[in-house]
Structures are given as C-alpha cells and as structure tokens.
Amino acid sequence: AENRKAGRSEIEAKNKISISKAPTTEWECRVQLAAAYRLADMYGWTEGIGNHFSCRVPENPSHFLINRYGQGFGEVTASSLVKIDHEGNIVDEHNKDAAINLAGFVIHSCVHHARDDCFAVFHTHETNVTAVSNMKCGLLPLNQTALLNGAVAYHDYEGVAVSDEERVTLGRDLGDKSVMILRNHGVLTTGSSIAEGFTRLFYVTKAAEIQVKTMGVRNDNDHISFPSTNVQKLVKERQGFDAVGNKTIAEATYQMWMRKLNRFNPGYDK
C-alpha cells in the first residue's frame, strides 16, 4: 500500500492534471476515467458490479485501463483502475492481485484493437437504452438529442460477450461509427478522448429515455412527429455532435461534470 501511494505521488508530482484537454499522461487518464465511473453511478446508469469503461494509456497505446472486477462504479478511484494489454494480461505493478471482467475485456479489447481512433470506450446496460436495444426500430430520429448521435451501428446479441469469436463481430459491426446499440443488451460508445466518449454516452442515454417516454404514450408511431428527412440529414451530417466542434463541446461539458462531481462525490482522484 505504501509503495502504491508513493508511486501515485510521484506520478502526480510529474504530471499536473488538466481537465480542459484530452489526457496526455496515464495519471490524467486514471483521474478522468475514474470520474466517468463515478458520474455514471451518480446518474444511475449502473448494474451492480457489471459494465465497464476503458481508455488507452497515452504512453503505451497497446495498454488500456479498466475497472477491477467486483468494484462498483461508485467505488472506483484513479489508483484502483487496472492496466491490461490486448491479451488480457495485467501489466499494472500496483494491481497485480486484481481480476477483471472477462466480458469487459472482450468488448473493450476488440474495439481498441479494431479502431486506432478509439481512445476511450464506454458500455452500459442503462434501463432506457437497453429498452431501445429491444426495439426492432432501434434508436429513432425523434428529436435533436437523438440526431446528435449521428449514424448508429447495431450488433446482434450473441450471449454474454466472453468468446473470441465475438471480438471479431463486435469490431466488424461497429465499423467507423462512434455509437453502437447492442441488441437485447445495452449500448457502446467511443471517443477520441474520455470526455468525448462519455458525452456520447450521455446523449444516447438521454435520447433513449425520451424515446421510451414518447413511445409509451401509444403502441404505434401514428402519434409521433418526426423531423423532416432533410433536417435529419442536416443535423446528423453537418450540425451533429460527430461533425462540428465535437471535442470542444465534449471537453467543456466534461469540465462541468467534473466540477459537479467534486461537489457531490469527491475522492475519485485518489
């Protein structure tokens, strides 16, 4: 424990943490990723000890950080995150005794391996987005919040994601998209930074909530007003989160979330 504390202090001394830009050091990544776990817990997007977020280690992009198995989102700290490689080996000298969720490894390793531009990956079973994953229509272009997600990918359910075969199909189905609905399962979002990936998670989760409430009024689409096809295309391709200043929007939004977290649930940066 003392060695871990000393190692953390040394890293902190070398790297001043900034949340106004994408993280450039392992410790910055640890702090921002731990904040994402705590924020998801605060918003109620958790499912016991399941689900997982990850990000690459800037100093070694073939390694990534993920939560240790058995730890709830609200318990995650910067130092408790576990560093692993693309084969699932723990390469974290301070967390050699940790275990990781096998499904978490399968889902995150395949995305990090398939897409060099995916710095961070987020996966939840949040209630509303999982409800949308059960709908044949998928995420509908009902409103601005939904359209800001841009083009959405879909992946059919293959059971609990623990097989090497699904590492192939997950990467294939994601393609070049940043949001993927996992049918009968949940959602996956990616980003070139932690802020970007988490902001996408927020948008798709909120869009799913709006859709569930809208469709709950009546069991058909006759009562629903959709934006015109031209407007849908405009927002998705030219005005959407993917297309215009997304990093600036994400970073500004994430700064706000971290300020909120510092007020209501501090301690994640330990």
Side-chain angles (χ1 to χ4, degrees):
E2 286 299 316
N3 288 339
R4 183 180 303 176
K5 185 176 181 180
R8 186 169 70 244
S9 298
E10 182 179 348
I11 295 173
E12 288 175 315
K14 290 180 179 178
N15 306 307
K16 291 183 178 180
I17 299 164
S18 170
I19 59 173
S20 63
K21 59 180 178 61
T24 58
T25 68
E26 180 178 332
W27 185 251
E28 286 182 330
C29 286
R30 285 179 174 274
V31 171
Q32 289 193 24
L33 189 61
Y37 278 102
R38 295 287 187 99
L39 286 165
D41 182 69
M42 183 182 294
Y43 284 121
W45 300 346
T46 60
E47 188 171 90
I49 59 171
N51 300 163
H52 14 79
F53 302 162
S54 71
C55 73
R56 296 182 190 271
V57 176
E59 296 92 337
N60 189 340
S62 65
H63 294 164
F64 61 93
L65 300 169
I66 197 166
N67 55 322
R68 64 168 56 213
Y69 183 69
Q71 191 172 44
F73 275 27
E75 301 174 311
V76 172
T77 64
S79 59
S80 74
L81 291 165
V82 182
K83 183 165 57 175
I84 63 176
D85 63 19
H86 285 291
E87 302 305 318
N89 301 307
I90 294 174
V91 292
D92 189 336
E93 61 181 277
H94 299 304
N95 288 296
K96 285 289 188 182
D97 60 334
I100 59 169
N101 186 304
L102 178 57
F105 163 69
V106 168
I107 291 171
H108 291 261
S109 64
C110 81
V111 176
H112 286 300
H113 181 72
R115 293 270 300 277
D116 289 341
D117 61 316
C118 291
F119 182 80
V121 181
F122 297 81
H123 169 55
T124 75
H125 300 164
E126 188 275 333
T127 303
N128 293 293
V129 81
T130 303
V132 168
S133 81
N134 300 335
M135 300 177 184
K136 290 182 178 180
C137 62
L139 188 69
L140 295 172
L142 290 172
N143 47 65
Q144 178 170 286
T145 305
L147 294 172
L148 287 172
N149 290 286
V152 176
Y154 292 86
H155 172 72
D156 288 337
Y157 188 58
E158 299 181 28
V160 178
V162 294
S163 69
D164 287 339
E165 289 78 8
E166 192 161 9
R167 294 177 73 182
V168 176
T169 56
L170 277 163
R172 178 201 66 201
D173 292 341
L174 178 62
D176 61 355
K177 308 299 190 300
S178 299
V179 177
M180 182 161 69
I181 301 291
L182 307 177
R183 296 282 192 187
N184 314 107
H185 183 176
V187 70
L188 182 150
T189 68
T190 72
S192 61
S193 67
I194 294 167
E196 191 175 293
F198 188 86
T199 304
R200 286 200 175 100
L201 181 64
F202 176 84
Y203 274 101
V204 72
T205 302
K206 179 60 70 173
E209 180 184 3
I210 295 169
Q211 178 169 322
V212 168
K213 289 184 176 181
T214 301
M215 297 186 73
V217 177
R218 278 169 45 188
N219 191 27
D220 61 69
N221 288 346
D222 292 342
H223 69 294
I224 297 175
S225 172
F226 288 87
S228 70
T229 302
N230 288 340
V231 169
Q232 289 182 34
K233 183 178 178 64
L234 173 68
V235 177
K236 281 187 175 182
E237 296 182 1
R238 293 178 54 195
Q239 297 181 338
F241 180 71
D242 282 341
V244 181
N246 53 4
K247 185 175 289 187
T248 300
I249 293 170
E251 288 170 0
T253 304
Y254 206 66
Q255 283 183 301
M256 175 274 295
W257 274 320
M258 291 186 76
R259 290 194 299 270
K260 182 175 183 177
L261 196 61
N262 285 329
R263 294 195 301 272
F264 296 106
N265 191 5
Y268 61 90
D269 55 346
K270 304 300 183 184

